[in-house]
Amino acid sequence: MEKINIQEKFSLFDETWTPKIIAESNGQLVKIAKGEGKLVWHSHENEDELFIVFKGKLTLLLRDGAVTLHPGELFVVKKGLEHCPVAEEETHFMMIEPASTAHTGAVVSEQTVSVDNQTHI
Amino acid sequence: MEKINIQEKFSLFDETWTPKIIAESNGQLVKIAKGEGKLVWHSHENEDELFIVFKGKLTLLLRDGAVTLHPGELFVVKKGLEHCPVAEEETHFMMIEPASTAHTGAVVSEQTVSVDNQTHI
């Protein structure tokens, strides 16, 4: 494989809450996404979801509070934990999760991008 | 869990080629390390190893060439691929790999830090 420049990959798309796959490792996909506004409440029953923020500010609302991630901060949403991502400004972040992970868990909304429709860039 | 500030974690240690565990997700460990000089040639027979560089310059020598990673660049060393990490200057990088991954594969050198001796910070 080739090395991947993460910023360069962010420059390739504008959609928000639309994960793009940039690498695979041990059956897990490395995805990047832009966020602005609010996604939906959901959980992943069988998968942990690792977040790293590169630009902006990503708040993960949790049922018992919230975590706000700035650039260079990392958080793991453990399997089963309900969360709702919110970004007040344009935010760039990475997710690392098993290939099986559904975008918005068992919840299907207009924002949901099925695993089959998540493109490699 | 708490959110993790990656730079703050780098400030907690000075050793080189000594992975520190900062998070776990889906049975994989998120580790950070500093590099300066050269590690040893090795491979991981059963595990892919994901690298992201945060500071400096990490060269992964491969038997058929080399990949040099700058800050913000990512590379996955696929299982079985022989590699030797080299850093000409102080370099900070992250690795994400299964908990089972031996530091220098089947090779044991003075630099090897066994999985049991890799500390959580």
Side-chain angles (χ1 to χ4, degrees):
Chain A
M1 70 168 277
E2 301 283 316
K3 70 174 179 177
I4 291 162
N5 183 302
I6 298 168
Q7 291 309 325
E8 196 177 293
K9 293 295 187 187
F10 275 117
S11 75
L12 298 180
F13 66 98
D14 290 317
E15 311 100 287
T16 56
W17 309 121
T18 306
K20 307 290 184 188
I21 301 162
I22 63 169
E24 185 276 336
S25 184
N26 297 301
Q28 297 202 62
L29 299 177
V30 180
K31 303 175 182 180
I32 59 171
K34 296 183 177 181
E36 193 162 5
K38 190 172 178 177
L39 193 55
V40 292
W41 278 98
H42 66 280
S43 63
H44 309 284
E45 286 317 304
N46 302 306
E47 299 102 349
D48 299 332
E49 191 166 41
L50 184 155
F51 289 87
I52 302 176
V53 170
F54 286 82
K55 176 183 170 181
K57 196 166 68 167
L58 181 69
T59 297
L60 298 167
L61 302 177
L62 306 172
R63 290 301 185 190
D64 64 350
V67 178
T68 297
L69 302 176
H70 300 91
E73 293 184 333
L74 176 156
F75 187 76
V76 179
V77 175
K78 287 297 189 182
K79 58 190 73 166
L81 189 67
E82 278 190 291
H83 58 288
C84 179
V86 179
E88 290 168 20
E89 58 193 274
E90 183 181 323
T91 295
H92 297 183
F93 59 99
M94 176 182 282
M95 288 169 292
I96 302 180
E97 56 194 19
S100 57
T101 310
H103 184 212
T104 52
V107 175
V108 176
S109 83
E110 285 183 6
Q111 293 169 295
T112 301
V113 182
S114 72
V115 172
D116 288 344
N117 287 330
Q118 291 180 17
T119 51
H120 288 257
I121 60 172
Chain B
M1 71 169 279
E2 301 283 314
K3 70 175 179 176
I4 292 162
N5 183 300
I6 299 167
Q7 290 309 323
E8 197 177 292
K9 294 294 187 188
F10 276 117
S11 75
L12 297 179
F13 66 99
D14 291 317
E15 311 101 285
T16 55
W17 309 121
T18 306
K20 308 291 184 187
I21 300 162
I22 63 168
E24 184 274 336
S25 184
N26 298 302
Q28 297 202 61
L29 299 177
V30 180
K31 303 176 182 180
I32 58 171
K34 296 183 177 181
E36 193 161 6
K38 191 172 177 177
L39 193 57
V40 291
W41 278 98
H42 65 279
S43 62
H44 309 284
E45 286 317 303
N46 302 306
E47 299 100 350
D48 299 334
E49 191 166 42
L50 184 154
F51 290 87
I52 302 176
V53 170
F54 286 83
K55 176 182 169 181
K57 197 167 66 165
L58 181 69
T59 296
L60 298 167
L61 302 177
L62 306 172
R63 291 300 185 190
D64 64 349
V67 178
T68 297
L69 302 176
H70 300 90
E73 293 185 331
L74 177 157
F75 187 75
V76 178
V77 175
K78 286 298 189 181
K79 58 190 70 165
L81 189 67
E82 277 192 291
H83 58 288
C84 179
V86 179
E88 290 168 20
E89 58 193 274
E90 184 182 324
T91 295
H92 297 182
F93 59 99
M94 175 181 283
M95 288 169 292
I96 302 179
E97 55 194 20
S100 57
T101 311
H103 185 211
T104 52
V107 176
V108 176
S109 84
E110 284 183 7
Q111 294 169 295
T112 301
V113 183
S114 72
V115 172
D116 288 343
N117 288 330
Q118 291 180 16
T119 51
H120 289 255
I121 61 170

